[in-house]
Amino acid sequence: MQSIRNIAIIAHVDHGKTTLVDKILHQTQQFRENQFTGELILDNNDLERERGITIIAKNVSVIYKDVKINIIDTPGHADFGGEVERVLNMADGVLLLVDAFEGPMPQTRFVLSKALEMGKKAILVINKVDKENCRPDEVLEKVFDLFFHLDATEEQLNFPTVYGSSKQGWMNTDWKVQTDNILVLLDAIINYFPPAPFFEGTSQLLITSLDYSSFVGRIAIGRVSRGTLKENQQVTLMKRDGVIQKTRIKELYTFEGLGRRKAQEVKCGDICAMTGIDDFEIGDTIADFDNPEALPTISVDEPTMSMLFTINNSPFFGKEGRFVTSRHVRDRLYKELEKNLAMRVEETESPDSYLVFGRGVLHLSILIETMRREGYELQVGQPQVIIKEINGQKHEPVETLTVDAPEDVAGKVIELVTQKKGELLVMEPKGDLQHLEFIIPSRGLIGLRSSVLTATAGKATMAHRFKSYEPWKGPIQGRIAGVLLAKENGVATPYSIDRMQDRGFFFTDPGEPVYGGQVIGQHIRPDDLIINVCEAKKLTNMRASGSDDNVRIAPAIKFSLEEAMEYIEKDEYLEITPKSLRMRKVHLDENTRKRMSKKD
Ligand SMILES: Nc1nc2c(ncn2[C@@H]2O[C@H](COP(=O)(O)OP(=O)(O)OP(=O)(O)O)[C@@H](O)[C@H]2O)c(=O)[nH]1
Ligand SMILES: [Mg+2]
C-alpha cells in the first residue's frame, strides 16, 4: 500500500503559503506545462486572485519518491482562523512558514498554538530569505521562543528548519546557499513526518470540510481514520447532536495534483471527498452501517461580528442591480449558509432586513463583494461586535494587535491606537522599524487601519487576532469628523464642488448623480453639513465661456468596500450595487433625522 503524508501549511497572512504549494506542484509536475499561468493556480476564485489572499483552505496532492503527500493550503487572515483549526484535523504534521523579515506574527502564534495543542509536529520553513534586510537567524530564535512559550513538548521543540524562497522556488538547510529546487523540503517532509497510520476496522471518517457544486450538491471532505470507504457503500451519518441517519455514499474522490480523481475505495490515512450524503454538517461522523461509532466532534467557530443587511431603498434603487427584492436577498443569504461555515443569519422585525453574523469585516465583505458581482443590490449597516453577558457583566471581544512602523511615526500610531482604548504592551526595534504590540477591543479596530495608514503614509503594517472576551472597556470615540450631505437629488456639478472644497473633501466627483441625504464628503468639523452640490453656475456670473472647465477640483476619495464598511456610523448605511458604493444616512430626510436623534 502506498505510503501517505498529510500536511497542512500554516502561517500568518502573506508569508507565502500558496506560493510554496504552487512551487511544490510545479516541481513535482502534477499539472501540464500549459496549465501554468504564472499566477497562483491555487488561489482560484476571482476574489482570491484580485486580493492575493487565500479565503478557503484547499487540498492538493503530489507524489514524491513513491510517497503520496496530501497538502492542505490554509488561509492566513485572522478572520479565517477557525477554518485552519478545523482542517488541522486532517493533517499528521504542519509546515510552519515564517517570513524571514517579519518573523512570527499574531496569526503565526494562533495557528501554531492550535497545531501544538493537537499534538502535531512541525517543520519550520523560514521563507523569503531573498528579501533584503531579512534576518533568518533572529527569526529562528523567535520561533523557538514561541514554541517554548506555547508549551511544545520536547519532541515538538526538536523541529527541523528549512530556509528558502518560495517565490524563487528553492529551499535549503543553509539560507546563504541558494539552490534551484525545493527537494530539501520534500525530503524533510517524508523523513520527519511519520506515514499516516492504517487502522483496521469498521469505517470512520470525520467530516472536516465541505465543498459545494450546483450539479451534485454538497460534498463532504475528510480523512478516513479507520477502515476503508467504498463507492456506493451504505453508511451511518452520526450527527454532532446525536441524531443518526442511514445513508449511502454515492461517489468517492481522492485528491490528485490540483484536481480530484474518482476512486472505488479510499483507505484509512487518505483524504477524500464524497457525494451523496446530503444532510451533513461539519463535525459529523461517517460510520459503519451496522455498528456505527462516532468520532470526537469538532467545533465550528462562533461569529464575532454582525451587520444588518437590508434591501436597497435609496432613490437609486433598482438602477444598477438585477436582484433587488427582499426575497432575492433572503434566498441568497440562506444559500450562503450551505457552505459558509462561520456565518449565521437571523431574521429581524422587518421582512426586508436580516442580521448577518460573521468572523470579521473581511469575512462579511467577501460575501458582500460576491453578491454585488452576482448582480445584487443591498444596503448594510455599521458592523457591530458581539457583546456577551458573562457572570452578569458585559464583556466584549478583545484582540492582540501588532503594528510595525518606521520610528518617526511610531508615536502617532501609539496615539491613534490609545484613542481607541488600545494598551501598549511591547515596543521593540525590528530591523529599521519599531514593532508595537497592543491589546485593543475589537470595536476599536473598526476604522483604525485607514487612519493608521493615513497617519504613516502607508508605511505601517498591521495585524490583529482575537484574544478573548474581556469586561467592557467603556465608550470609544467613533468617527471624529462629520460628513458632507447632499441636500437634494441631482447631479454634482464642478461649480458647487469647487465652491465647497474648503469645507472638507469629497467622495463624489462632478457629474455623478447624488440624492438628498447621501454622504458625499467628509466635513472638516465634527458636525454634519448639508450642502447643495447640484447648483449650476449662474449665467449672470459667467465671465468667460468655458471657465467652468478650469476649476481645479481635488479628485474624489474612493473607498474600498471594507473602508466604507468601517467608515459608516450607526445612523448610516452603505448602499452596494454592482456598479457603485454609496454611503448615506439611514433617514434621508433631515427632519426625520432630527426627530430620531432626539429619541435616542
Ligand atoms: N520576496 C519574496 N516574496 C514572496 C515569497 N513567497 C511569496 N512571496 C510573495 O508574498 C505574497 C504573498 O504570497 P502568498 O503565497 O499569496 O501568501 P499566503 O501565505 O498564501 O497568503 P494568504 O493565503 O493570504 O495567507 C505574494 O506577493 C508573493 O509573491 C518569497 O519567497 N520571497
Ligand atoms: Mg494563500
Side-chain angles (χ1 to χ4, degrees):
M1 197 174 50
Q2 190 170 35
S3 177
I4 297 175
R5 307 285 185 285
N6 297 310
I7 55 163
I9 305 203
I10 57 174
H12 186 72
V13 66
D14 264 2
H15 281 192
K17 297 173 290 296
T18 305
T19 311
L20 179 61
V21 179
D22 259 37
K23 287 294 172 354
I24 296 177
L25 281 164
H26 204 203
Q27 292 190 17
T28 48
Q29 293 183 332
Q30 296 291 317
F31 51 99
R32 290 184 310 260
E33 231 19 70
N34 61 6
Q35 265 179 302
F36 188 65
T37 56
E39 284 179 84
L40 293 186
I41 39 179
L42 221 64
D43 280 344
N44 52 13
N45 78 39
D46 286 351
L47 275 180
E48 288 184 320
R49 273 182 194 244
E50 268 166 41
R51 297 181 181 222
I53 55 167
T54 304
I55 298 171
I56 304 165
K58 292 183 195 67
N59 289 77
V60 300
S61 119
V62 301
I63 307 277
Y64 178 67
K65 293 189 176 164
D66 280 334
V67 176
K68 176 175 186 179
I69 309 174
N70 283 315
I71 305 168
I72 309 162
D73 182 25
T74 65
H77 194 282
D79 282 18
F80 311 117
E83 171 113 355
V84 183
E85 193 179 343
R86 245 184 319 108
V87 299
L88 280 175
N89 275 286
M90 294 190 279
D92 297 300
V94 298
L95 298 187
L96 177 71
L97 238 74
V98 183
D99 182 305
F101 170 74
E102 287 202 326
M105 296 291 279
Q107 190 66 1
T108 318
R109 184 189 178 93
F110 171 77
V111 288
L112 179 64
S113 71
K114 294 296 166 190
L116 294 177
E117 264 169 41
M118 293 166 77
K120 316 279 179 208
K121 293 203 290 182
I123 294 176
L124 172 63
V125 180
I126 298 190
N127 189 34
K128 305 201 186 183
V129 300
D130 60 293
K131 264 188 169 175
E132 242 177 89
N133 306 328
C134 68
R135 8 166 241 150
D137 301 326
E138 251 172 87
V139 168
L140 172 59
E141 223 167 278
K142 294 246 172 212
V143 176
F144 188 85
D145 288 348
L146 185 59
F147 270 75
F148 192 77
H149 284 298
L150 294 173
D151 290 331
T153 62
E154 203 63 34
E155 196 189 12
Q156 287 171 327
L157 270 175
N158 266 324
F159 58 86
T161 304
V162 172
Y163 302 86
S165 164
S166 304
K167 197 168 168 179
Q168 297 173 343
W170 65 272
M171 292 285 149
N172 202 355
T173 44
D174 179 351
W175 66 273
K176 295 194 188 88
V177 183
Q178 182 170 350
T179 65
D180 60 3
N181 60 59
I182 51 157
L183 301 185
V184 166
L185 176 62
L186 293 178
D187 284 323
I189 291 172
I190 60 175
N191 295 328
Y192 183 62
F193 297 126
F198 182 86
F199 298 109
E200 299 270 0
T202 50
S203 337
Q204 262 187 333
L205 173 144
L206 184 70
I207 302 179
T208 316
S209 189
L210 60 73
D211 197 357
Y212 183 83
S213 135
S214 40
F215 300 110
V216 297
R218 300 172 83 209
I219 301 166
I221 297 172
R223 169 182 176 164
V224 183
S225 55
R226 195 175 66 196
T228 303
L229 288 181
K230 295 198 169 65
E231 201 179 33
N232 287 320
Q233 182 180 338
Q234 288 192 302
V235 291
T236 307
L237 177 67
M238 309 188 67
K239 316 225 7 137
R240 325 162 39 125
D241 54 11
V243 175
I244 285 179
Q245 285 172 15
K246 298 294 176 190
T247 175
R248 180 195 289 273
I249 297 172
K250 223 165 160 182
E251 287 174 337
L252 272 175
Y253 295 86
T254 53
F255 293 89
E256 192 177 286
L258 271 173
R260 292 178 196 170
R261 172 191 283 265
K262 211 161 170 306
Q264 255 93 54
E265 60 167 40
V266 182
K267 290 202 159 63
C268 173
D270 208 352
I271 296 174
C272 68
M274 68 186 84
T275 62
I277 317 283
D278 290 328
D279 214 12
F280 71 84
E281 277 162 276
I282 298 298
D284 295 352
T285 303
I286 301 281
D288 187 62
F289 188 76
D290 298 315
N291 296 306
E293 282 172 71
L295 287 160
T297 186
I298 41 176
S299 61
V300 174
D301 40 31
E302 292 296 313
T304 54
M305 193 170 269
S306 75
M307 260 176 117
L308 187 79
F309 279 48
T310 183
I311 56 165
N312 188 5
N313 65 357
S314 92
F316 295 168
F317 148 86
K319 285 197 162 98
E320 299 175 342
R322 282 189 295 148
F323 306 117
V324 296
T325 64
S326 50
R327 185 57 193 271
H328 286 139
V329 172
R330 178 181 201 282
D331 289 353
R332 181 61 184 81
L333 289 177
Y334 280 91
K335 191 177 133 214
E336 185 68 17
L337 299 180
E338 293 264 289
K339 57 176 175 187
N340 204 330
L341 296 169
M343 201 158 271
R344 306 265 180 286
V345 176
E346 260 177 31
E347 316 257 338
T348 66
E349 283 163 20
S350 154
D352 292 338
S353 304
Y354 298 87
L355 264 183
V356 180
F357 295 80
R359 293 287 298 172
V361 169
L362 182 68
H363 184 212
L364 290 166
S365 79
I366 283 164
L367 169 63
I368 297 171
E369 184 61 41
T370 310
M371 285 177 72
R372 98 187 258 225
R373 286 175 192 215
E374 291 167 357
Y376 287 83
E377 275 187 21
L378 68 153
Q379 300 186 121
V380 297
Q382 188 191 34
Q384 304 289 329
V385 301
I386 294 172
I387 307 295
K388 278 188 186 165
E389 191 90 14
I390 302 175
N391 299 329
Q393 210 190 351
K394 190 171 168 186
H395 281 60
E396 66 173 328
V398 169
E399 314 207 15
T400 321
L401 166 74
T402 64
V403 185
D404 292 335
E407 205 170 346
D408 56 323
V409 291
K412 267 195 218 162
V413 173
I414 297 173
E415 192 185 319
L416 283 168
V417 180
T418 317
Q419 273 170 13
K420 300 276 194 175
K421 293 257 168 19
E423 240 176 273
L424 182 65
L425 298 184
V426 178
M427 177 164 174
E428 60 188 21
K430 174 168 166 182
D432 47 8
L433 299 176
Q434 282 293 322
H435 174 75
L436 310 170
E437 279 180 37
F438 304 87
I439 298 282
I440 183 173
S442 305
R443 278 183 299 147
L445 287 169
I446 296 175
L448 185 65
R449 181 177 300 271
S450 60
S451 55
V452 166
L453 289 182
T454 314
T456 61
K459 288 196 202 111
T461 51
M462 284 174 68
H464 58 93
R465 168 83 225 166
F466 173 76
K467 181 175 165 274
S468 56
Y469 269 84
E470 288 181 16
W472 179 256
K473 308 247 186 235
I476 293 182
Q477 171 74 268
R479 191 174 68 209
I480 294 158
V483 289
L484 301 175
L485 294 169
K487 184 159 179 238
E488 56 198 12
N489 301 3
V491 172
T493 62
Y495 169 73
S496 333
I497 290 187
D498 182 44
R499 238 169 26 115
M500 295 290 173
Q501 285 199 93
D502 57 345
R503 300 303 178 90
F505 54 82
F506 280 83
F507 303 137
T508 307
D509 279 314
E512 279 182 43
V514 298
Y515 53 82
Q518 182 181 336
V519 174
I520 52 172
Q522 177 167 302
H523 195 193
I524 44 171
R525 294 170 183 278
D527 55 334
D528 296 345
L529 179 69
I530 299 177
I531 59 174
N532 186 348
V533 273
C534 305
E535 258 181 319
K537 191 168 198 173
K538 303 279 180 326
L539 279 173
T540 48
N541 285 347
M542 179 114 66
R543 262 182 241 136
S545 64
S547 63
D548 221 25
D549 301 339
N550 294 336
V551 294
R552 294 183 94 109
I553 295 179
I557 310 265
K558 294 292 176 191
F559 282 157
S560 68
L561 174 60
E562 278 121 89
E563 282 167 342
M565 284 163 67
E566 296 198 342
Y567 186 80
I568 53 173
E569 288 283 308
K570 248 194 163 99
D571 65 338
E572 293 162 355
Y573 278 155
L574 172 63
E575 176 190 357
I576 296 140
T577 79
K579 294 200 184 112
S580 323
L581 294 177
R582 298 183 198 95
M583 295 178 285
R584 55 166 282 185
K585 290 290 171 184
V586 171
H587 301 289
L588 295 178
D589 175 64
E590 191 189 357
N591 293 324
T592 322
R593 237 173 9 246
K594 281 195 182 134
R595 241 187 9 252
M596 297 311 278
S597 72
K598 283 212 191 88
K599 267 211 243 161
D600 287 349

